[in-house]
Amino acid sequence: FPCFTPAFCDMLIEELYAFYASRLPARRPNTMNNYGVVVNEIGLEPMLGRLVREVLQPIGHALFPGAGSEVDRHHSFVVRYKVGEDLGLDMHTDDSDVTFNICLGRDFRGAGLQFCGDQGAADHRHASAVYYHKKGRCVVHRGHRRHGADDITEGERLNLIVWTTNSEYRKTRAYARYHMQSSATGYQTEAGPPDRVCLSFTHDRDYGAFWPYAEKTRQHRGRGWCPPRHAEYENFAEEPSSGE
């Protein structure tokens, strides 16, 4: 849905680049983004709080009753993808109940947002949709939806990401269904081998059976958890050992 005007996107980017130019210390939003910044910590928290209360939370409630019905915390940050810096983002889920992802620009090519299934579902690692960012528009999804950013091929892209949390929802069986890696909570056996586009070099035990590890991702070999052993698809493809 349209969220910000192009003029507002430009103004927000100007503020961000003024902060970058200041060389003040910045906490990165997570371990996956090396050039992002937590916007709540650079003076934008009042604006983000109002955006969440007046715009995003009502939309979250309409789309995802229960998980999106209340917001008692939000983690808001900007990510930046650029040739020579972070190009894309490995498949993952978010530590949120509902995620809002707003494209701020700039000019870029590539960098589609690939969606797969819900964590814990039989189609968790099967492709479901590709979203192409447009300046000022917001895509909304549940935090437990597996997704990843394709590599940018040209230009620069900045996105404002808002992770919203509902602490009451997190006490429910519905939350456990998608976040607890146990058959007791309903974590399903995978329906079949994963689609290659949905594989994660960080999280998946069988990544190496479908893709070769690159030099920068080799450190993750043998450290994956997905799928849990009780949820392996039939004839699960074991990842070759590092010596093979």
Side-chain angles (χ1 to χ4, degrees), residues 20 26-39 41 75-81 86 95 159 161 163:
Y20 288 138
R27 183 167 65 91
R28 300 309 177 195
N30 51 57
T31 58
M32 299 180 292
N33 299 109
N34 297 310
Y35 298 92
V37 61
V38 178
V39 295
E41 298 179 359
H75 176 48
S76 301
F77 54 95
V78 166
V79 294
R80 185 173 78 184
Y81 300 101
D86 290 335
D95 185 16
N159 283 55
I161 314 293
W163 287 357

Side-chain angles (χ1 to χ4, degrees), residues 27 29-33 67 70-77 89-100 119 141-147 161-167 169-171 175-176 178-181 203 225:
R27 183 167 65 91
N30 51 57
T31 58
M32 299 180 292
N33 299 109
E70 298 290 339
V71 174
D72 46 32
R73 185 173 66 86
H74 69 87
H75 176 48
S76 301
F77 54 95
L89 193 59
D90 187 30
M91 280 286 164
H92 63 285
T93 57
D94 295 339
D95 185 16
S96 72
D97 298 321
V98 180
T99 293
F100 299 85
Q119 182 170 280
H141 61 87
R142 293 296 306 276
H144 60 243
R145 192 80 169 182
R146 178 172 276 218
H147 58 288
I161 314 293
V162 182
W163 287 357
T164 63
T165 302
N166 179 346
S167 59
Y169 168 73
R170 293 195 168 201
K171 299 175 184 177
Y175 176 81
Y178 293 108
H179 294 272
M180 304 300 176
Q181 298 155 21
H203 303 292
W225 64 268

Side-chain angles (χ1 to χ4, degrees), residues 18 41 61 68 85-86 88 106 151 182 196 204 208 211:
E41 298 179 359
H61 172 62
E85 297 182 354
D86 290 335
R106 302 179 161 181
D151 283 357
S182 168
R196 294 179 77 199
D204 292 347
W211 289 108

Side-chain angles (χ1 to χ4, degrees), residues 26 29 43 54-55 83 85 97 127 129 150 158 186 194 199 224-226:
E54 299 184 10
V55 180
V83 175
E85 297 182 354
D97 298 321
D150 296 335
L158 292 94
L199 282 160
W225 64 268
C226 182

Side-chain angles (χ1 to χ4, degrees), residues 11-241:
M11 182 172 63
L12 188 52
I13 288 176
E14 185 178 345
E15 287 293 318
L16 291 166
Y17 270 84
F19 177 79
Y20 288 138
S22 74
R23 299 189 179 278
L24 289 169
R27 183 167 65 91
R28 300 309 177 195
N30 51 57
T31 58
M32 299 180 292
N33 299 109
N34 297 310
Y35 298 92
V37 61
V38 178
V39 295
N40 284 359
E41 298 179 359
I42 62 171
L44 298 179
E45 185 173 9
M47 182 200 80
L48 267 296
R50 185 175 179 184
L51 175 69
V52 170
R53 289 192 305 273
E54 299 184 10
V55 180
L56 303 185
Q57 189 276 323
I59 291 173
H61 172 62
L63 293 176
F64 306 113
S69 294
E70 298 290 339
V71 174
D72 46 32
R73 185 173 66 86
H74 69 87
H75 176 48
S76 301
F77 54 95
V78 166
V79 294
R80 185 173 78 184
Y81 300 101
K82 184 178 180 180
V83 175
E85 297 182 354
D86 290 335
L87 297 176
L89 193 59
D90 187 30
M91 280 286 164
H92 63 285
T93 57
D94 295 339
D95 185 16
S96 72
D97 298 321
V98 180
T99 293
F100 299 85
N101 185 335
I102 308 164
C103 181
L104 304 177
R106 302 179 161 181
D107 293 332
F108 60 90
R109 290 186 180 179
L113 185 60
Q114 183 79 234
F115 285 99
C116 301
D118 291 333
Q119 182 170 280
D123 63 352
H124 175 201
R125 299 192 296 163
H126 291 171
S128 58
V130 182
Y131 174 80
Y132 295 98
H133 291 285
K134 293 184 178 180
K135 186 174 181 176
R137 295 189 68 88
C138 177
V139 59
V140 190
H141 61 87
R142 293 296 306 276
H144 60 243
R145 192 80 169 182
R146 178 172 276 218
H147 58 288
D150 296 335
D151 283 357
I152 194 168
T153 58
E154 187 177 311
E156 178 182 12
R157 175 168 68 83
L158 292 94
N159 283 55
L160 173 65
I161 314 293
V162 182
W163 287 357
T164 63
T165 302
N166 179 346
S167 59
E168 288 302 311
Y169 168 73
R170 293 195 168 201
K171 299 175 184 177
T172 67
R173 290 180 61 86
Y175 176 81
R177 161 72 179 78
Y178 293 108
H179 294 272
M180 304 300 176
Q181 298 155 21
S182 168
S183 57
T185 59
Y187 199 111
Q188 298 175 349
T189 300
E190 293 194 329
D195 293 336
R196 294 179 77 199
V197 72
C198 291
L199 282 160
S200 164
F201 58 77
T202 307
H203 303 292
D204 292 347
R205 294 168 46 223
D206 54 354
Y207 179 87
F210 296 93
W211 289 108
Y213 282 91
E215 182 65 32
K216 66 178 181 179
T217 62
R218 196 167 296 154
Q219 61 181 314
H220 298 285
R221 181 192 291 273
R223 298 184 179 182
W225 64 268
C226 182
R229 296 203 176 273
H230 72 82
E232 293 176 355
Y233 51 87
E234 187 175 358
N235 298 319
F236 179 73
E238 291 286 351
E239 183 171 80
S241 67

